[in-house]
Amino acid sequence: MMIYIGMDDTDNLESRGTGTLSRTIATELSKKYPVSAVTRHQLLKHTDIPFTTHNSCSVLHVDLGPEHVEELYESVKKEMMDDFIEGSDPGIFAAHHTQLTPALVAFGQDAKAIILTQGRARALARNHNLPLEGLGGTEDGVIGAVAGVGLAGAGDDGRFLRLGAKDLRGTYSVEELLNHGVDAIYTVEGIPITEGTIYNKEDKLVRLCPLNGHVVLFVEERDGKFWNVSRG
C-alpha cells in the first residue's frame, strides 16, 4: 500500500514551481525508497485565494507501509527546507493509504470547489494523528498539502508528473508506454489504442491521468497521428 506526501506553496513568481521541486525530491528519495509516482492536483482558482501561478499541489507516492510515514515525512521536510524559497508559504502532510478517511478525501474534493481554511486542514491532521506542518511564510500550503493527499489517495484526480523512476517526455510507442506502467490508452471518444505511436512535443511531459485507480492516457487523432491530450 502507498504513502502519500503532499506539498504545496513552495514557490514564488520568480522561482521553480512546486511540481519541479516534487520531482527533484522524488529523485532523491528514489535512492533509498520505492517512489512509484508524483501527481499534480489542480485546486480552486479564486481571487480570494493567494497562489503563485496555478494553485496546484504535488503529491509523492511511495510504496511502503504505515510504519514509514514519519520517516518519509521528515525526509521530504528536510528536502523542502533545504530548498526553501523566500516569499513562499509551504506546507507538508503525509498519510498512508490505510489512514485515509472519507473526511480527508472530501477535503480534497472541497478544495477544488470552495475556499478552505488552515483551521480545517489542521483539525483534520490532528484528529487523524497525522503529521502536518507549515514551513514558512503564512503557512497556507498546509491546505493544499492535505487536499493533495486526499485527492491522490482517492486515485481519481489530477495527472502524473512522474510515473516510476523518470520523467516521460516526448514521443513513445504504445508498447513502451504500456511497459512503463500505463494501464490503458484511449481516444477522447473512447476508442482503445493498442498499437502504434503516441506523439508529444519533445520537451513536454506525457499527460498520464489517475482514473479509478488506473493509469490512463488520452489521445486525439490529428492528421492521421495520435497526439497526447493535456488533462489536469
Side-chain angles (χ1 to χ4, degrees), residues 38-138:
V38 181
T39 50
R40 174 194 186 275
H41 302 272
Q42 181 62 51
L43 308 180
L44 176 68
K45 296 178 74 172
H46 191 281
T47 54
D48 291 336
I49 299 176
F51 60 89
T52 309
T53 53
H54 301 294
N55 200 30
S56 62
C57 56
S58 291
V59 180
L60 303 167
H61 303 227
V62 185
D63 194 6
L64 287 172
E67 67 275 13
H68 294 282
V69 169
E70 288 287 348
E71 175 187 353
L72 279 168
Y73 177 89
E74 291 299 329
S75 295
V76 175
K77 176 183 170 181
K78 181 182 183 304
E79 295 290 337
M80 291 174 67
M81 293 304 297
D82 286 347
D83 197 10
F84 177 77
I85 300 294
E86 289 296 331
S88 65
D89 310 300
I92 177 175
F93 177 66
H96 187 261
H97 190 81
T98 57
Q99 297 168 318
L100 294 178
T101 65
L104 285 169
V105 175
F107 185 87
Q109 293 172 342
D110 286 351
K112 299 176 73 69
I114 62 175
I115 298 172
L116 299 176
T117 65
Q118 285 193 38
R120 180 174 164 188
R122 293 182 188 278
L124 274 171
R126 184 171 60 252
N127 292 336
H128 288 76
N129 195 29
L130 291 170
L132 170 68
E133 285 180 86
L135 303 180
T138 67

Side-chain angles (χ1 to χ4, degrees), residues 5-8 57-59 91-93 132 141-150:
I5 306 105
M7 308 163 46
D8 194 21
C57 56
S58 291
V59 180
I92 177 175
F93 177 66
L132 170 68
V142 298
I143 299 170
V146 176
V149 168

Side-chain angles (χ1 to χ4, degrees), residues 4 13 20 34 54 62 70 84 87 92 99 114 120 126 128 144 163 165 173 180 187 192 199 203 214 223 229:
Y4 305 100
L13 288 172
T20 298
H54 301 294
V62 185
E70 288 287 348
F84 177 77
I92 177 175
Q99 297 168 318
I114 62 175
R120 180 174 164 188
R126 184 171 60 252
H128 288 76
L163 181 66
S173 70
H180 191 75
T187 68
Y199 291 87
D203 62 334
H214 295 91
D223 300 323
V229 172

Side-chain angles (χ1 to χ4, degrees), residues 167-172 197-206 227:
D167 294 347
L168 288 178
R169 294 181 185 271
T171 296
Y172 290 88
T197 300
I198 306 301
Y199 291 87
N200 194 29
K201 292 182 179 179
E202 289 304 314
D203 62 334
K204 295 296 184 181
L205 290 168
V206 178
W227 287 84

